Amino acid sequence: MNILAIFKREWRAYFASPIAYVVLTIFALISGYFFYSLLAFFSLSSLQATTNPGFGQGLNASEWIVRPLFRDIAITMLLLMPAATMRLFSEEKKTGTIELLFSYPIRDWELLLGKFLAALALYSAMLGISLLDIAMLGSLVTLEWGLILSGYLGLLLLGMAFLGLGILASSLTENQVVAAVGAFGVLLLLWVIGWSTEAAGPTLGPILSHLSIINHYDSFAKGTIESRDVVFYLNFTLLCLFLTLRSLESKRWRG
Amino acid sequence: MIEADRLTKYYDKHTAIRNVSFTVEKGEIVGFLGPNGAGKTTTMRILTGCLPPSSGTARVAGFDVLTDSLQMRRRIGYLPENVPLYTDMKVTDYLAFVAEVKGVDRGRRRQRIGEIMDKCGVAKVRQTLIGALSRGYRQRVGIAQALLNDPEVLIMDEPTIGLDPRQIVEIRQLIKELAGQSTVILSTHILPEVSMLCHRVIIINNGQIVAVDTPENLTAGLQSSTKLRIRVEGPVNQVGMALTQLPGVLRVVAEDEAHLPAGQAGAQAGETTHSFVVESERHCDLRREASRLIVERGWGLLELRPADMSLEEIFVRLVTKEAQEARA
């Protein structure tokens, strides 16, 4: 019950401040633009295929539009989600409201989970916006819905990892900008770490590749849900939430 | 209701409080008095479960603050020092949130919130954003959230700070009304507040308890003599001499007239007015003798009142005594 109360408050707080509106609008704009340009390129290619039959064989809306769109959405989320998580704890620390929360009969994990779920709800709302594009596309061409489903599952898991790290950063500082920049920096590093795997040599390469937060998304993009990738994202999220609990506890101890 | 046993808290190497022990009985209002940085807030944070002590134990409403924290927190209300509230919420929404996390029964919630809003005088601003409220209303919302769960123990850190005189009177009235139902512990550095509200006072300085007693006993206990303040219209030397000769008088001090418009009042009467502080042996009431003496001599008796040691003086004396002992 406490989780629900915290969730409701956080959800309302998102919409009491401009954060939710800004994040949702920017996401709708950017993902809409990506969708439009992918669709435009696809229809141009389809037009060329009518004059050159051999060219049209690999043309498939799921491969040409949905997959790159999901990849673009993942990058957009990387940029936007730190803004959605930055205030969750840092604001409470700065204004002192956390002291009152600590005096209420709420367990730390209930507090954390309520906040995490509120951020996840906002993230899901953003994914919901992109679903409008997909639904419109689906009314025009035939799509592989299995691929889309696995893509969304992947995005959801990836998003949980983003949010987990964002909340951890927020619990470590009173300053929202520091929380946002810190979360963004670490996420970006974990993203680009996968680019240098070939140059890193046979020992380090696979490790970097495994740590890369986006490499685990590839299987979802291909439509094959691999348990090790699911486990990676869940573990990453749980580790972040666990560290956040520790950080809250130490906040208590240090005052 | 509250039992603190040798509470000690270190922040790094700095000791915030050391061996703080006290008990508070059910229904009592206890004032926590001390200069800024004395450890009042630290003690209160420990009692509310916000901060674990470095050593020592505390039981609030029958539950240990460390091991039964959740049970304990169900039974308390806390008003932190700067009244941190969610400024982006409306008053009713905020109180509804607090009622939910404090575990007020779903069916009773609406009614309870209504009651509390009436009691704390925030019903008028129920639809206002907390961020837009004046300091006084914010304080009331803070008290309202503390009271929502009908707490057995109410802990308030500087409940009247930053309020205007009328608001202070109202908040004090509210706290007085709580006496008997809840056990209240409040911190303040306003001394008259303590003598007005509290059954007992705990004076804390440098992280240690200096004195625990009722305001009356504290005032009486520290006085080695009884003092009378007398303002007389008459020749200063003769009056002084006459007063000194009264039985039981230890000494008479003529006070400087700086605070008196001597030129005016004195000149009009044809004689100057003077203030004297007559110090006599303890429990020796000289009011009758002194007034008779002055009237018989034909001087004007303008004022005569017992000059009790104010809590301020006691406080300063206790705190400085402490400092001297520490140095010695």
Side-chain angles (χ1 to χ4, degrees), chain A residues 211-233:
Chain A
L211 282 176
S212 167
I213 201 163
I214 192 65
N215 279 5
H216 293 273
Y217 180 71
D218 290 342
S219 65
F220 295 100
K222 287 180 198 131
T224 56
I225 300 170
E226 285 195 29
S227 54
R228 62 182 206 121
D229 295 325
V230 175
V231 167
F232 172 83
Y233 285 128

Side-chain angles (χ1 to χ4, degrees), chain A residues 1-2 4-6 8-10 12-13 16-17 87 91-92 95-108 115 251-255, chain B residues 9 11 41 45 48-53 66 69-70 73-74 76 78-81 84-86 88-89 93-94 97-98 100-103 106 145:
Chain A
M1 285 322 286
N2 285 335
L4 186 67
I6 301 284
K8 282 191 295 189
R9 203 211 80 74
E10 288 303 331
R12 231 184 270 174
S17 74
R87 46 160 285 285
E91 195 179 36
E92 304 244 20
T95 58
T97 47
I98 198 144
E99 196 181 340
L100 262 184
L101 277 182
F102 280 164
S103 81
Y104 293 154
I106 318 173
R107 294 176 185 90
D108 286 0
K115 282 175 181 281
K251 157 86 184 149
R252 270 181 200 245
W253 283 94
R254 279 185 282 117
Chain B
K9 177 75 191 172
Y11 294 112
T41 300
R45 283 192 176 153
T48 55
C50 294
L51 199 67
L66 268 187
S69 170
L70 217 57
R73 284 186 269 159
R74 284 207 178 101
I76 62 160
Y78 179 37
L79 177 72
E81 192 170 359
L85 304 173
Y86 295 111
D88 56 3
M89 293 180 97
D93 294 340
Y94 174 67
F97 162 70
V98 177
E100 197 173 343
V101 295
K102 280 194 161 188
R106 180 180 288 271
Q145 65 80 28

Side-chain angles (χ1 to χ4, degrees), chain B residues 216-234:
Chain B
E216 296 78 32
N217 282 354
L218 273 179
T219 324
L222 274 167
Q223 280 171 323
S224 45
S225 59
T226 310
K227 283 184 190 169
L228 269 185
R229 186 180 296 275
I230 306 178
R231 217 162 101 206
V232 182
E233 201 175 60

Side-chain angles (χ1 to χ4, degrees), chain B residues 190-254:
Chain B
I190 309 167
L191 295 139
E193 190 160 287
V194 168
S195 36
M196 248 177 272
L197 282 176
C198 304
H199 305 134
R200 273 196 309 146
V201 191
I202 297 172
I203 297 182
I204 186 168
N205 186 46
N206 276 329
Q208 280 177 301
I209 290 184
V210 187
V212 185
D213 216 331
T214 62
E216 296 78 32
N217 282 354
L218 273 179
T219 324
L222 274 167
Q223 280 171 323
S224 45
S225 59
T226 310
K227 283 184 190 169
L228 269 185
R229 186 180 296 275
I230 306 178
R231 217 162 101 206
V232 182
E233 201 175 60
V236 59
N237 290 335
Q238 289 174 39
V239 177
M241 286 287 282
L243 287 172
T244 317
Q245 278 154 16
L246 284 171
V249 168
L250 298 172
R251 60 195 181 117
V252 174
V253 183

Side-chain angles (χ1 to χ4, degrees), chain B residues 92 95-97 99 108-118 148:
Chain B
T92 44
L95 293 178
F97 162 70
R108 275 190 62 233
R109 239 176 252 162
R110 184 184 294 264
Q111 185 205 342
R112 179 73 189 148
I113 291 168
E115 277 169 28
I116 288 292
M117 283 198 295
D118 287 337
L148 266 175

Side-chain angles (χ1 to χ4, degrees), chain B:
Chain B
M1 270 289 134
I2 302 175
E3 296 160 46
D5 187 22
R6 282 164 294 155
L7 289 176
T8 301
K9 177 75 191 172
Y10 307 104
Y11 294 112
D12 293 323
K13 287 201 179 105
H14 165 70
T15 314
I17 55 171
R18 193 180 320 134
N19 280 327
V20 167
S21 306
F22 61 89
T23 55
V24 179
E25 299 302 322
K26 192 174 159 63
E28 249 188 327
I29 302 185
V30 169
F32 229 33
L33 196 62
N36 292 327
K40 296 181 301 232
T41 300
T42 300
T43 312
M44 294 199 147
R45 283 192 176 153
I46 290 174
L47 293 180
T48 55
C50 294
L51 199 67
S54 306
S55 70
T57 55
R59 290 172 78 79
V60 175
F63 293 94
D64 190 286
V65 295
L66 268 187
T67 55
D68 281 322
S69 170
L70 217 57
Q71 289 293 329
M72 182 277 288
R73 284 186 269 159
R74 284 207 178 101
R75 289 165 176 80
I76 62 160
Y78 179 37
L79 177 72
E81 192 170 359
N82 295 311
V83 200
L85 304 173
Y86 295 111
T87 50
D88 56 3
M89 293 180 97
K90 287 179 183 166
V91 174
T92 44
D93 294 340
Y94 174 67
L95 293 178
F97 162 70
V98 177
E100 197 173 343
V101 295
K102 280 194 161 188
V104 177
D105 288 342
R106 180 180 288 271
R108 275 190 62 233
R109 239 176 252 162
R110 184 184 294 264
Q111 185 205 342
R112 179 73 189 148
I113 291 168
E115 277 169 28
I116 288 292
M117 283 198 295
D118 287 337
K119 189 171 188 175
C120 301
V122 292
K124 261 192 295 183
V125 294
R126 61 201 303 158
Q127 292 299 335
T128 313
L129 281 179
I130 291 174
L133 291 179
S134 67
R135 179 75 224 223
Y137 272 120
R138 231 183 242 228
Q139 198 84 19
R140 286 152 183 253
V141 176
I143 294 179
Q145 65 80 28
L147 290 176
L148 266 175
N149 56 334
D150 242 328
E152 290 173 34
V153 175
L154 191 60
I155 297 172
M156 295 193 272
D157 203 351
E158 308 262 6
T160 57
I161 201 168
L163 298 180
D164 70 36
R166 212 196 66 223
Q167 292 166 333
I168 291 181
V169 171
E170 286 170 1
I171 297 284
R172 280 181 193 157
Q173 192 55 42
L174 190 61
I175 296 171
K176 262 190 185 166
E177 284 166 16
L178 297 172
Q181 318 162 28
S182 299
T183 306
V184 181
I185 177 162
L186 60 93
S187 78
T188 180
H189 52 241
I190 309 167
L191 295 139
E193 190 160 287
V194 168
S195 36
M196 248 177 272
L197 282 176
C198 304
H199 305 134
R200 273 196 309 146
V201 191
I202 297 172
I203 297 182
I204 186 168
N205 186 46
N206 276 329
Q208 280 177 301
I209 290 184
V210 187
V212 185
D213 216 331
T214 62
E216 296 78 32
N217 282 354
L218 273 179
T219 324
L222 274 167
Q223 280 171 323
S224 45
S225 59
T226 310
K227 283 184 190 169
L228 269 185
R229 186 180 296 275
I230 306 178
R231 217 162 101 206
V232 182
E233 201 175 60
V236 59
N237 290 335
Q238 289 174 39
V239 177
M241 286 287 282
L243 287 172
T244 317
Q245 278 154 16
L246 284 171
V249 168
L250 298 172
R251 60 195 181 117
V252 174
V253 183
E255 289 212 322
D256 197 58
E257 294 293 290
H259 61 285
L260 256 182
Q264 296 165 23
Q268 273 171 12
E271 281 179 303
T272 25
T273 44
H274 300 281
S275 280
F276 299 90
V277 174
V278 179
E279 228 176 288
S280 58
E281 281 161 19
R282 210 166 157 180
H283 307 306
C284 167
D285 192 351
L286 281 178
R287 279 178 292 183
R288 274 170 224 89
E289 291 81 352
S291 57
R292 195 178 307 123
L293 171 83
I294 291 161
V295 173
E296 276 171 2
R297 296 280 183 98
W299 299 320
L301 177 60
L302 299 180
E303 188 185 340
L304 184 146
R305 63 186 165 94
D308 268 338
M309 213 167 149
S310 69
L311 262 171
E312 258 102 353
E313 287 171 274
I314 292 169
F315 182 64
V316 168
R317 186 176 288 189
L318 279 170
V319 167
T320 46
K321 195 175 82 186
E322 185 81 356
Q324 282 163 356
E325 279 169 9
R327 228 173 283 132

